[in-house]
Amino acid sequence: MKKGDVSSVLVNIGFGNVVASSKVVAIVTPGSAPMKRMREEAKNVGRLVDATQGRRTRSIIITDSNHIILSALQAETITQRFLEGKGGSDEEEA
C-alpha cells in the first residue's frame, strides 16, 4: 500500500476501536460552537458513536453517512495514522 492511499483500511481511533478510512469525510477538534452543535444534533437523532471509553473527547470524526464518532485521541494523531495507512498503537491513550 502506498503512503497516503486511504482506500479501505481500518484505522485505530483509540482503545481498540477502528474506523474504515474510506468512509471518513473529516477529522476535527471539538472546541468550536459549530462542532458542539453538530455533536448534539447527532446525539438527538441517534447518529453519535462515542469511542472515548469515558475519557475527554479530543477529536470528532465525521463520516460520509453523517455519523459522528468521538475519539479520545488528538486529531493530529488520527490524521497521521490515516496517512501511514495503519492501525497504529495505543501509546497516546493515557
Side-chain angles (χ1 to χ4, degrees), residues 15 50-57 72:
F15 305 106
D50 187 352
T52 62
Q53 302 291 321
R55 290 168 176 81
R56 190 175 128 219
T57 299

Side-chain angles (χ1 to χ4, degrees), residues 21-71:
S21 60
S22 61
K23 300 294 182 187
V24 173
V25 174
I27 304 169
V28 296
T29 56
S32 69
M35 290 302 106
K36 290 178 183 176
R37 278 194 302 271
M38 183 181 290
R39 178 180 174 173
E40 282 304 310
E41 288 174 15
K43 184 178 181 180
N44 292 337
V45 296
R47 290 185 283 113
L48 183 70
V49 178
D50 187 352
T52 62
Q53 302 291 321
R55 290 168 176 81
R56 190 175 128 219
T57 299
R58 293 197 173 128
S59 63
I60 297 175
I61 302 167
I62 304 167
T63 66
D64 59 357
S65 62
N66 286 330
H67 282 80
I68 305 298
I69 304 169
L70 308 179
S71 176

